[in-house]
């Protein structure tokens, strides 16, 4: 078996996220994802077909955040984790979301870890 960590870090999306009236407008949310990916053995080829292509995570996050507003960062993290775990090779996923512009002096976020 071969284990890799595939990372999408600092991915910024504009989305509706929050419970307050001023959060009806889209705001900047920074998403980071770490996936522990298992392969049956060492990689044989230097080809994308050999590994998990992280483009599906980026595209999936864009689709999730465009589809509907989220009230809670926790719910958003769960949806992103589910997206990642849909690939059978992903054994563990850590998702972090951060509202970058809510406060002038702090960023607020949520982080979850899910495993198979």
């Amino acid at each position: 078996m071969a284990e890799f960590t595939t990372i999408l870090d600092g991915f910024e999306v504009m989305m509706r996220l929050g419970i307050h009236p001023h959060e009806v407008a889209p705001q900047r949310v920074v998403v980071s994802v770490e996936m522990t990916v298992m392969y049956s053995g060492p990689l044989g080829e230097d080809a994308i077909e050999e590994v998990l292509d992280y483009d599906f995570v980026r595209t999936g996050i864009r689709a999730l955040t465009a589809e509907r507003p989220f009230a809670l960062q926790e719910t958003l993290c769960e949806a992103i984790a589910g997206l990642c775990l849909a690939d059978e090779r992903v054994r563990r996923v850590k998702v972090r979301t951060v509202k970058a512009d809510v406060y002038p002096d702090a960023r607020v976020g949520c982080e979850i870890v899910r495993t198979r």
Side-chain angles (χ1 to χ4, degrees):
M1 297 290 272
E3 180 181 295
F4 287 82
T5 301
T6 300
I7 302 167
L8 176 68
D9 190 35
F11 180 49
E12 292 189 14
V13 293
M14 292 296 293
M15 65 174 295
R16 291 174 52 202
L17 175 62
I19 59 169
H20 301 291
H22 67 273
E23 293 178 307
V24 171
Q27 63 180 297
R28 187 167 59 113
V29 177
V30 182
V31 180
S32 296
V33 178
E34 290 183 20
M35 295 173 286
T36 301
V37 186
M38 298 297 291
Y39 300 102
S40 58
L43 300 179
E45 301 284 328
D46 187 20
I48 193 65
E49 297 78 23
E50 294 283 315
V51 297
L52 177 84
D53 184 352
Y54 50 79
D55 282 347
F56 93 93
V57 177
R58 189 175 173 276
T59 303
I61 292 169
R62 279 236 188 266
L64 281 172
T65 59
E67 283 174 5
R68 67 180 183 107
F70 285 83
L72 304 173
Q73 289 193 69
E74 291 82 353
T75 309
L76 175 60
C77 285
E78 288 284 5
I80 294 169
L83 168 74
C84 297
L85 290 169
D87 188 303
E88 294 289 324
R89 298 171 292 180
V90 177
R91 297 293 176 223
R92 177 183 185 272
V93 62
K94 179 167 64 170
V95 179
R96 173 184 287 210
T97 61
V98 175
K99 293 183 184 184
D101 305 313
V102 172
Y103 301 116
D105 57 352
R107 296 163 40 129
V108 294
C110 177
E111 182 175 283
I112 64 166
V113 175
R114 295 290 176 260
T115 57
R116 285 195 194 277

